[in-house]
Coordinates of all heavy atoms in Angstrom, one line a residue:
D42 N -9.8 -1.1 -27.2 CA -11.0 -1.8 -27.6 C -12.1 -1.4 -26.6 O -11.7 -0.9 -25.6 CB -10.7 -3.3 -27.6 CG -11.9 -4.1 -28.3 OD1 -12.7 -3.5 -28.9 OD2 -11.8 -5.4 -28.2
E43 N -13.4 -1.7 -27.0 CA -14.4 -1.4 -26.0 C -15.3 -2.5 -25.7 O -15.4 -3.5 -26.6 CB -15.3 -0.3 -26.7 CG -14.7 0.8 -27.5 CD -14.6 2.0 -26.4 OE1 -15.3 1.9 -25.4 OE2 -13.7 2.9 -26.6
G44 N -16.0 -2.5 -24.6 CA -16.9 -3.6 -24.2 C -18.0 -3.0 -23.3 O -17.9 -1.9 -22.9
L45 N -19.0 -3.9 -23.1 CA -20.1 -3.3 -22.3 C -20.0 -4.0 -20.9 O -19.7 -5.1 -20.6 CB -21.5 -3.8 -22.9 CG -21.9 -3.2 -24.2 CD1 -23.0 -3.9 -24.8 CD2 -22.2 -1.6 -24.0
V46 N -20.4 -3.3 -20.0 CA -20.5 -3.7 -18.5 C -21.6 -2.9 -17.8 O -22.0 -1.8 -18.2 CB -19.2 -3.5 -17.8 CG1 -18.9 -2.1 -17.3 CG2 -18.9 -4.5 -16.5
G47 N -22.0 -3.6 -16.6 CA -22.9 -2.8 -15.8 C -24.3 -2.6 -16.5 O -24.8 -3.5 -17.2
G48 N -25.0 -1.4 -16.2 CA -26.3 -1.1 -16.6 C -26.4 -1.1 -18.2 O -27.4 -1.7 -18.8
A49 N -25.3 -0.5 -18.8 CA -25.3 -0.5 -20.2 C -25.4 -1.9 -20.8 O -26.1 -2.1 -22.0 CB -24.1 0.2 -20.7
A50 N -24.7 -2.8 -20.2 CA -24.7 -4.2 -20.6 C -26.1 -4.9 -20.4 O -26.6 -5.7 -21.3 CB -23.6 -5.0 -20.0
I51 N -26.7 -4.6 -19.2 CA -28.1 -5.2 -19.0 C -29.0 -4.7 -20.1 O -29.8 -5.5 -20.6 CB -28.6 -4.6 -17.6 CG1 -27.6 -5.2 -16.5 CG2 -29.9 -5.1 -17.3 CD1 -28.0 -4.8 -15.1
D52 N -28.9 -3.4 -20.4 CA -29.9 -2.8 -21.5 C -29.6 -3.5 -22.8 O -30.7 -3.9 -23.5 CB -29.7 -1.3 -21.6 CG -30.2 -0.5 -20.4 OD1 -30.8 -1.2 -19.6 OD2 -29.9 0.6 -20.3
A53 N -28.4 -3.8 -23.1 CA -28.1 -4.4 -24.4 C -28.2 -5.9 -24.5 O -28.6 -6.3 -25.5 CB -26.8 -3.9 -24.9
E54 N -27.8 -6.5 -23.4 CA -27.6 -8.0 -23.5 C -28.3 -8.7 -22.4 O -28.2 -9.8 -22.2 CB -26.2 -8.4 -23.6 CG -25.4 -7.6 -24.7 CD -24.4 -8.4 -25.3 OE1 -24.3 -9.6 -25.1 OE2 -23.5 -7.8 -26.1
G55 N -28.9 -7.9 -21.5 CA -29.6 -8.6 -20.3 C -28.8 -9.0 -19.2 O -29.4 -9.7 -18.3
T56 N -27.5 -8.8 -19.2 CA -26.7 -9.3 -18.1 C -25.5 -8.2 -18.0 O -25.0 -7.7 -18.9 CB -26.1 -10.7 -18.4 OG1 -25.0 -10.9 -17.4 CG2 -25.6 -10.8 -19.8

Side-chain angles (χ1 to χ4, degrees):
D42 194 4
E43 307 273 344
L45 292 170
V46 75
I51 295 173
D52 289 352
E54 307 212 14
T56 165

